[in-house]
Amino acid sequence: MYDAVIIGAGVSGCATARELSAYEGKFCVFEREEDVCCGTSKANSGIVHAGYDAVPGTLKAKLNVRGNELMETLAGELDIPFVRNGSVVVCTEDQDREKLKRLYENGRQNKVPGLRLLTGEEARRLEPNITKDAAAALYAPTGGIVCPFELNIALAENACVNGVEFKFGAEVSDIKRTEGGYEITAGGRMYETRAVINAAGVYADVFHNMVCEDLIHITPRKGEYMLMDKPAGAHVSRTIFTVPGKYGKGVLVTPTVHGNLMAGPTALDIEDKEGTNTTAEGLEEVRRKCAQAVAGVPLDQVITSFAGLRAHESGRDFIIQESGPYFFDCAGIASPGLTSCPAIGEMLAGMTAKRLALHKKDRFISRRQGIVRPGALPEEERNELMRKEPAYGNIICRCEMITEGEILDAVRRPVGARTMDGVKRRTRAGMGRCQSGFCAPKVMEILARELGVSLLDITKSGGASRMLAGRDKEEL
């Protein structure tokens, strides 16, 4: 019997798993997809929000600010990139300045440090490409950016090293209360556990409603994005927002930790929990609205577009509580969920450990070594690495300069890559200008060799997403 199982391997579930792994106990994460970071967590802005937007007194406000405080230390421990680049909310001449002032007062009540109200001219001195229509702005120096893939994967790896099990392709189909806890059917098998932690993103309402009488409803809120090539990455150095609207923080323009430029998201409530398709209308909205705050966004350098879903609950706050006996909800985790995940993990693990009377381990491994990036090493160290392991001298992805050695590491690590998208999220092979046009066949060959399977078995993202349909000679 497990002491606790977590449903969902997104950032909230994996942050909770990592925090729980500091306690003595038997823990497992069930994920219906083939890898971590396959749902809400894989498709977002990567923004570490300062905390001025959340309504004071809400759990969202508390965990946003706490998560922001924890992120820098966590990134250091997990060896992932994090940049505290600051954020600017732009108010144009035809917008309501009172909304900007309310954000400032929110931030002050939420104890966000360093907030400043700026004139339009002061904002342009910070960011020359802010539109000339900017009349005022709010500057938050504690805003930051992180790679959502690397954060999610690092949390999972660290949890795994500390003893947490991960079961993929394990879709939860039933949860039943028992005298000693719960019986969970996942991936066609039944498991017993003392406690359940529901961190299932847009599906959190499904599992809550299996167990609890007070029903909840999660509405997927779709956001579409455009990602621009690295030559566009310096167009702004901070994250630039417009004044928030009814459906969230609006379309932003931001650099990424890997040097690209991103614009988005839109906000459209839908009922399809799998509705991650982009649309001509949505992308046109991104094009139009990103120009409201930033002039001259180089949209001619877009290399890909994508859409993600946020888990919007009608109460407009995070639901983190024991909703039934030993059943803990982590539901309605929309923005700023990524920012809040270190604090969410801290809170949920603490609640669960207290309820189960778990004791801290004598030895918890808090640090994780990331994938070695030869391109980031001094020349002498890089040459020494290639002498020891020649695979680090074999470039597989030319756009991102990713080597065979990095891909081998991604496959062989704890909770390692098993698909093309798994390699892509861990190494960035295929994320560059050609979007896998050059490197895909070589990555497939490495995966097949490492996993001991046929090339015909290699998938993009698990399930039926096979990269190859068959062999030419057999088809002709």
Side-chain angles (χ1 to χ4, degrees):
M1 175 182 279
Y2 290 107
D3 289 291
V5 300
I6 298 167
I7 304 173
V11 287
S12 294
C14 288
T16 303
R18 187 211 184 223
E19 291 293 324
L20 266 182
S21 71
Y23 293 88
E24 297 288 352
K26 187 177 181 183
F27 312 112
C28 184
V29 178
F30 292 131
E31 170 56 52
R32 69 173 189 149
E33 303 295 345
E34 89 291 349
D35 200 358
V36 303
C37 199
C38 288
T40 297
S41 299
K42 77 175 181 182
N44 61 63
S45 312
I47 304 302
V48 178
H49 294 283
Y52 50 76
D53 187 64
V55 176
T58 61
L59 192 55
K60 190 178 286 189
K62 174 186 173 183
L63 296 178
N64 183 347
V65 175
R66 176 64 176 161
N68 182 293
E69 290 172 352
L70 292 171
M71 192 64 75
E72 192 161 359
T73 298
L74 180 66
E77 289 181 340
L78 298 181
D79 194 22
I80 62 170
F82 168 70
V83 180
R84 201 173 286 285
N85 65 324
S87 58
V88 180
V89 184
V90 173
C91 178
T92 59
E93 291 286 359
D94 59 350
Q95 289 176 322
D96 187 353
R97 293 196 192 200
E98 288 303 312
K99 288 184 178 179
L100 198 70
K101 291 177 182 177
R102 282 199 295 273
L103 286 181
Y104 175 73
E105 288 304 322
N106 275 0
R108 282 171 56 88
Q109 290 183 58
N110 293 341
K111 299 183 179 178
V112 178
L115 289 177
R116 281 194 290 145
L117 286 169
L118 308 177
T119 65
E121 187 56 39
E122 287 172 328
R124 282 185 288 276
R125 282 202 291 270
L126 274 180
E127 290 289 342
N129 285 319
I130 283 178
T131 175
K132 289 183 171 58
D133 294 333
L138 174 64
Y139 174 51
T142 57
I145 49 176
V146 71
C147 174
F149 312 129
E150 292 189 58
L151 173 60
N152 201 158
I153 290 164
L155 287 165
E157 287 183 6
N158 195 220
C160 182
V161 165
N162 282 291
V164 177
E165 298 176 32
F166 283 79
K167 295 188 182 298
F168 297 107
E171 182 173 5
V172 174
S173 57
D174 193 30
I175 306 174
K176 290 180 180 176
R177 182 86 175 105
T178 65
E179 186 176 337
Y182 291 89
E183 287 181 352
I184 292 189
T185 303
R189 292 185 56 190
M190 193 272 286
Y191 301 88
E192 293 183 307
T193 181
R194 295 172 64 198
V196 176
I197 297 170
N198 172 24
V202 294
Y203 287 95
D205 55 348
V206 174
F207 302 117
H208 171 97
N209 295 344
M210 284 182 183
V211 174
C212 306
E213 292 182 2
D214 57 326
L215 305 184
I216 64 172
H217 178 71
I218 300 293
T219 300
R221 180 165 288 174
K222 181 163 79 170
E224 300 184 43
Y225 294 86
M226 290 178 168
L227 183 72
M228 284 150 268
D229 204 359
K230 289 185 176 179
H235 195 72
V236 295
S237 60
R238 296 166 182 83
T239 302
I240 313 299
F241 295 91
T242 53
V243 173
K246 178 182 177 182
Y247 291 102
K249 299 177 179 68
V251 171
L252 58 86
V253 179
T254 185
T256 72
V257 291
H258 296 294
N260 298 84
L261 188 73
M262 185 159 55
T266 56
L268 177 67
D269 286 350
I270 61 176
E271 286 302 318
D272 183 4
K273 293 180 186 286
E274 301 296 322
T276 56
N277 59 305
T278 56
T279 64
E281 296 81 10
L283 297 179
E284 179 56 36
E285 183 180 343
V286 173
R287 287 178 179 275
R288 186 177 71 255
K289 289 188 174 180
C290 71
Q292 291 177 1
V294 180
V297 178
L299 294 170
D300 58 336
Q301 296 188 48
V302 171
I303 57 175
T304 192
S305 58
F306 62 94
L309 302 177
R310 288 157 276 175
H312 177 70
E313 203 277 326
S314 58
R316 305 182 67 85
D317 199 2
F318 295 161
I319 301 173
I320 300 177
Q321 62 189 26
E322 186 175 358
S323 298
Y326 297 92
F327 183 91
F328 298 90
D329 266 323
C330 179
I333 311 299
S335 180
L338 183 76
T339 306
S340 304
C341 77
I344 290 172
E346 182 182 67
M347 181 179 179
L348 263 174
M351 292 166 60
T352 308
K354 183 177 180 180
R355 190 76 163 93
L356 296 174
L358 302 177
H359 300 287
K360 282 288 186 81
K361 287 178 178 175
D362 292 333
R363 184 170 178 270
F364 168 65
I365 302 168
S366 65
R367 305 196 73 84
R368 167 253 189 196
Q369 177 65 53
I371 292 174
V372 175
R373 310 291 183 184
L377 297 175
E379 184 177 359
E380 189 174 321
E381 289 183 32
R382 184 166 64 249
N383 291 338
E384 180 61 24
L385 177 66
M386 289 188 290
R387 276 193 291 271
K388 289 181 178 178
E389 179 48 77
Y392 283 104
N394 181 20
I395 300 294
I396 300 298
C397 172
R398 292 181 179 179
C399 297
E400 295 289 325
M401 296 299 286
I402 305 302
T403 66
E404 181 182 3
E406 291 164 88
I407 296 171
L408 291 173
D409 191 358
V411 176
R412 295 170 181 175
R413 298 175 74 81
V415 200
R418 295 292 179 269
T419 64
M420 296 293 285
D421 280 357
V423 170
K424 184 177 183 179
R425 285 190 289 266
R426 287 165 176 79
T427 66
R428 294 186 59 76
M431 283 194 181
R433 181 179 299 180
C434 84
Q435 291 288 290
S436 294
F438 173 80
C439 65
K442 296 186 177 183
V443 175
M444 289 170 61
E445 289 175 2
I446 295 169
L447 265 175
R449 185 181 74 227
E450 284 296 302
L451 300 178
V453 300
S454 164
L455 276 170
L456 296 175
D457 294 323
I458 299 302
T459 65
K460 180 181 184 295
S461 55
S465 63
R466 286 184 172 81
M467 296 293 293
L468 301 177
R471 299 183 185 277
D472 286 347
K473 287 184 180 180
E474 294 172 357
E475 299 295 326
L476 295 174

